[in-house]
Amino acid sequence: MPADGVTAGASVASPTAASTPPAVPPSGRPTLSSHVRMRFDRTRERHVLLGPESVIVLNPTGADILGLCDGNRTVSDVAAVLQGRYDRVVDDEVTAFLARLVSKRCVEIHDGP
């Protein structure tokens, strides 16, 4: 299973190889975009992100990350909670995962409290 939190074969357009994901500051407060919903798909037995005309299939780690993105926790807070759950969580991997979803307009990063 890929370490990026998204299962291979997800049916969404990905950014071109030349594009750079946006910067996600550790103090940013991630939340799902208003047009995106995370649901458990019983057929796939996985969490998915549902957007207009798109479905992103998440692996369990990706679903855990997004489950913590409530607009109250910072990116650093999310990584700290995951470090308590898993043996190996690297802040940069959480940041990179969120940056990819920001570039797909599935996640928004807000500043401040």
Side-chain angles (χ1 to χ4, degrees):
M1 184 148 341
D4 67 359
V6 178
T7 301
S11 60
V12 296
S14 60
T16 62
S19 68
T20 303
V24 175
S27 61
R29 297 178 185 280
T31 186
L32 289 178
S33 296
S34 62
H35 65 276
V36 175
R37 301 286 180 259
M38 185 169 76
R39 299 284 186 258
F40 186 78
D41 184 321
R42 284 183 243 159
T43 303
R44 292 181 176 103
E45 296 185 358
R46 301 251 180 193
H47 280 90
V48 295
L49 286 182
L50 303 173
E53 300 182 25
S54 67
V55 175
I56 299 175
V57 180
L58 301 168
N59 69 23
T61 307
D64 281 352
I65 292 170
L66 292 178
L68 295 169
C69 294
D70 57 8
N72 294 316
R73 292 180 180 96
T74 65
V75 173
S76 294
D77 294 339
V78 170
V81 170
L82 292 171
Q83 287 170 353
R85 291 183 189 174
Y86 299 104
D87 291 334
R88 296 185 211 175
V89 174
V90 180
D91 292 0
D92 291 343
E93 290 175 357
V94 173
T95 301
F97 172 74
L98 291 172
R100 284 189 298 278
L101 290 178
V102 167
S103 70
K104 293 178 183 182
R105 297 187 179 113
C106 294
V107 169
E108 298 173 358
I109 306 295
H110 302 281
D111 294 326

